[in-house]
Short mmCIF file of all heavy atoms in Angstrom, two decimals:
data_model
loop_
_atom_site.label_atom_id
_atom_site.label_comp_id
_atom_site.label_asym_id
_atom_site.label_seq_id
_atom_site.Cartn_x
_atom_site.Cartn_y
_atom_site.Cartn_z
N GLY J 1 34.86 -34.58 -34.28
CA GLY J 1 34.48 -33.33 -34.91
C GLY J 1 33.51 -33.48 -36.05
O GLY J 1 32.97 -32.47 -36.52
N GLY J 2 33.26 -34.70 -36.48
CA GLY J 2 32.35 -34.94 -37.58
C GLY J 2 30.90 -34.94 -37.16
O GLY J 2 30.57 -34.74 -35.99
N SER J 3 30.03 -35.20 -38.13
CA SER J 3 28.59 -35.16 -37.91
C SER J 3 27.92 -36.40 -38.49
O SER J 3 28.41 -37.00 -39.46
CB SER J 3 27.97 -33.92 -38.57
OG SER J 3 28.46 -32.73 -37.99
N LEU J 4 26.80 -36.76 -37.91
CA LEU J 4 25.95 -37.82 -38.41
C LEU J 4 24.50 -37.44 -38.17
O LEU J 4 24.20 -36.69 -37.23
CB LEU J 4 26.22 -39.16 -37.70
CG LEU J 4 27.51 -39.89 -37.99
CD1 LEU J 4 27.65 -41.08 -37.03
CD2 LEU J 4 27.56 -40.37 -39.43
N ARG J 5 23.61 -37.97 -38.99
CA ARG J 5 22.19 -37.85 -38.74
C ARG J 5 21.58 -39.24 -38.69
O ARG J 5 21.63 -39.99 -39.66
CB ARG J 5 21.47 -37.03 -39.81
CG ARG J 5 20.02 -36.72 -39.41
CD ARG J 5 19.31 -35.81 -40.38
NE ARG J 5 18.72 -36.54 -41.49
CZ ARG J 5 17.66 -36.13 -42.18
NH1 ARG J 5 17.08 -34.97 -41.86
NH2 ARG J 5 17.21 -36.84 -43.18
N LEU J 6 21.01 -39.57 -37.54
CA LEU J 6 20.32 -40.83 -37.35
C LEU J 6 18.84 -40.67 -37.67
O LEU J 6 18.25 -39.62 -37.42
CB LEU J 6 20.47 -41.33 -35.92
CG LEU J 6 21.89 -41.43 -35.36
CD1 LEU J 6 21.85 -42.02 -33.95
CD2 LEU J 6 22.79 -42.26 -36.27
N SER J 7 18.25 -41.73 -38.20
CA SER J 7 16.82 -41.75 -38.48
C SER J 7 16.19 -42.96 -37.81
O SER J 7 16.81 -44.01 -37.66
CB SER J 7 16.57 -41.83 -39.99
OG SER J 7 17.08 -40.70 -40.66
N CYS J 8 14.94 -42.81 -37.42
CA CYS J 8 14.14 -43.88 -36.86
C CYS J 8 12.80 -43.89 -37.57
O CYS J 8 12.02 -42.94 -37.42
CB CYS J 8 13.95 -43.71 -35.36
SG CYS J 8 12.75 -44.84 -34.62
N ALA J 9 12.55 -44.94 -38.33
CA ALA J 9 11.29 -45.10 -39.05
C ALA J 9 10.38 -46.02 -38.25
O ALA J 9 10.75 -47.15 -37.94
CB ALA J 9 11.54 -45.66 -40.44
N ALA J 10 9.19 -45.54 -37.94
CA ALA J 10 8.25 -46.28 -37.11
C ALA J 10 7.08 -46.79 -37.93
O ALA J 10 6.61 -46.13 -38.86
CB ALA J 10 7.73 -45.40 -35.98
N SER J 11 6.60 -47.97 -37.56
CA SER J 11 5.39 -48.52 -38.13
C SER J 11 4.64 -49.30 -37.05
O SER J 11 5.23 -49.70 -36.05
CB SER J 11 5.69 -49.42 -39.34
OG SER J 11 6.51 -50.51 -38.97
N GLY J 12 3.35 -49.50 -37.25
CA GLY J 12 2.56 -50.25 -36.30
C GLY J 12 2.07 -49.47 -35.10
O GLY J 12 1.46 -50.05 -34.20
N ILE J 13 2.35 -48.18 -35.06
CA ILE J 13 1.86 -47.30 -34.01
C ILE J 13 1.30 -46.04 -34.63
O ILE J 13 1.65 -45.69 -35.77
CB ILE J 13 2.94 -46.94 -32.97
CG1 ILE J 13 4.11 -46.21 -33.64
CG2 ILE J 13 3.42 -48.17 -32.22
CD1 ILE J 13 5.11 -45.63 -32.66
N ILE J 14 0.43 -45.38 -33.88
CA ILE J 14 0.01 -44.04 -34.29
C ILE J 14 1.11 -43.10 -33.82
O ILE J 14 1.12 -42.63 -32.69
CB ILE J 14 -1.35 -43.69 -33.69
CG1 ILE J 14 -2.39 -44.75 -34.06
CG2 ILE J 14 -1.81 -42.31 -34.18
CD1 ILE J 14 -3.74 -44.55 -33.40
N PHE J 15 2.02 -42.84 -34.72
CA PHE J 15 3.29 -42.19 -34.38
C PHE J 15 3.08 -40.86 -33.68
O PHE J 15 3.79 -40.53 -32.71
CB PHE J 15 4.12 -42.02 -35.65
CG PHE J 15 5.46 -41.40 -35.45
CD1 PHE J 15 6.52 -42.16 -34.98
CD2 PHE J 15 5.68 -40.06 -35.74
CE1 PHE J 15 7.77 -41.60 -34.79
CE2 PHE J 15 6.92 -39.49 -35.56
CZ PHE J 15 7.97 -40.26 -35.09
N SER J 16 2.13 -40.09 -34.15
CA SER J 16 1.97 -38.72 -33.67
C SER J 16 1.57 -38.62 -32.20
O SER J 16 1.74 -37.56 -31.60
CB SER J 16 0.95 -37.97 -34.53
OG SER J 16 -0.32 -38.58 -34.46
N VAL J 17 1.05 -39.69 -31.61
CA VAL J 17 0.59 -39.63 -30.22
C VAL J 17 1.66 -40.10 -29.24
O VAL J 17 1.44 -40.06 -28.02
CB VAL J 17 -0.70 -40.45 -30.00
CG1 VAL J 17 -1.75 -40.07 -31.02
CG2 VAL J 17 -0.42 -41.94 -30.04
N TYR J 18 2.81 -40.53 -29.72
CA TYR J 18 3.85 -41.07 -28.86
C TYR J 18 4.96 -40.06 -28.58
O TYR J 18 5.45 -39.39 -29.50
CB TYR J 18 4.49 -42.31 -29.49
CG TYR J 18 3.70 -43.57 -29.26
CD1 TYR J 18 2.63 -43.89 -30.07
CD2 TYR J 18 4.04 -44.43 -28.22
CE1 TYR J 18 1.90 -45.05 -29.85
CE2 TYR J 18 3.32 -45.59 -28.00
CZ TYR J 18 2.26 -45.90 -28.82
OH TYR J 18 1.55 -47.06 -28.60
N ASN J 19 5.36 -39.99 -27.32
CA ASN J 19 6.64 -39.38 -27.00
C ASN J 19 7.75 -40.30 -27.53
O ASN J 19 7.64 -41.52 -27.45
CB ASN J 19 6.82 -39.20 -25.50
CG ASN J 19 5.81 -38.25 -24.92
OD1 ASN J 19 5.31 -37.35 -25.59
ND2 ASN J 19 5.51 -38.42 -23.63
N MET J 20 8.80 -39.70 -28.07
CA MET J 20 9.87 -40.45 -28.70
C MET J 20 11.21 -40.07 -28.09
O MET J 20 11.36 -39.01 -27.48
CB MET J 20 9.92 -40.16 -30.20
CG MET J 20 8.64 -40.48 -30.96
SD MET J 20 8.32 -42.26 -31.07
CE MET J 20 9.72 -42.80 -32.06
N GLY J 21 12.20 -40.94 -28.28
CA GLY J 21 13.51 -40.63 -27.76
C GLY J 21 14.61 -41.46 -28.37
O GLY J 21 14.36 -42.52 -28.96
N TRP J 22 15.83 -40.96 -28.22
CA TRP J 22 17.04 -41.68 -28.58
C TRP J 22 17.80 -42.02 -27.31
O TRP J 22 18.07 -41.15 -26.48
CB TRP J 22 17.94 -40.85 -29.48
CG TRP J 22 17.42 -40.66 -30.87
CD1 TRP J 22 16.74 -39.60 -31.37
CD2 TRP J 22 17.56 -41.59 -31.95
NE1 TRP J 22 16.44 -39.80 -32.69
CE2 TRP J 22 16.93 -41.01 -33.07
CE3 TRP J 22 18.16 -42.85 -32.07
CZ2 TRP J 22 16.89 -41.66 -34.31
CZ3 TRP J 22 18.11 -43.48 -33.31
CH2 TRP J 22 17.47 -42.89 -34.40
N TYR J 23 18.11 -43.29 -27.15
CA TYR J 23 18.95 -43.79 -26.08
C TYR J 23 20.25 -44.31 -26.67
O TYR J 23 20.32 -44.62 -27.86
CB TYR J 23 18.26 -44.92 -25.31
CG TYR J 23 17.09 -44.51 -24.46
CD1 TYR J 23 15.88 -44.14 -25.04
CD2 TYR J 23 17.18 -44.51 -23.07
CE1 TYR J 23 14.79 -43.77 -24.26
CE2 TYR J 23 16.09 -44.15 -22.28
CZ TYR J 23 14.90 -43.79 -22.89
OH TYR J 23 13.83 -43.44 -22.10
N ARG J 24 21.26 -44.41 -25.83
CA ARG J 24 22.50 -45.01 -26.29
C ARG J 24 23.13 -45.84 -25.17
O ARG J 24 22.89 -45.60 -23.99
CB ARG J 24 23.49 -43.96 -26.78
CG ARG J 24 24.06 -43.06 -25.69
CD ARG J 24 24.93 -41.97 -26.29
NE ARG J 24 25.45 -41.07 -25.27
CZ ARG J 24 26.06 -39.93 -25.53
NH1 ARG J 24 26.25 -39.54 -26.79
NH2 ARG J 24 26.51 -39.17 -24.54
N GLN J 25 23.93 -46.80 -25.58
CA GLN J 25 24.68 -47.62 -24.65
C GLN J 25 26.09 -47.80 -25.19
O GLN J 25 26.29 -48.45 -26.22
CB GLN J 25 24.02 -48.98 -24.43
CG GLN J 25 24.69 -49.79 -23.32
CD GLN J 25 23.85 -50.97 -22.89
OE1 GLN J 25 22.93 -51.38 -23.58
NE2 GLN J 25 24.18 -51.51 -21.73
N GLY J 26 27.06 -47.21 -24.51
CA GLY J 26 28.45 -47.34 -24.88
C GLY J 26 29.06 -48.58 -24.25
O GLY J 26 28.47 -49.21 -23.37
N PRO J 27 30.27 -48.94 -24.68
CA PRO J 27 30.94 -50.13 -24.14
C PRO J 27 31.11 -50.04 -22.63
O PRO J 27 31.68 -49.07 -22.12
CB PRO J 27 32.29 -50.13 -24.86
CG PRO J 27 32.06 -49.32 -26.10
CD PRO J 27 31.07 -48.27 -25.71
#
């Protein structure tokens, strides 16, 4: 029931031209 906010800081790319995403892998 709780909440979290994840962040992803990018460097070395022109960030604005990239499609981005969050993936996950559970046990």
Side-chain angles (χ1 to χ4, degrees):
S3 297
L4 289 172
R5 190 175 85 153
L6 307 183
S7 298
C8 170
S11 61
I13 60 171
I14 305 175
F15 182 79
S16 62
V17 309
Y18 278 83
N19 296 333
M20 302 290 296
W22 289 98
Y23 289 73
R24 69 185 178 190
Q25 187 167 17

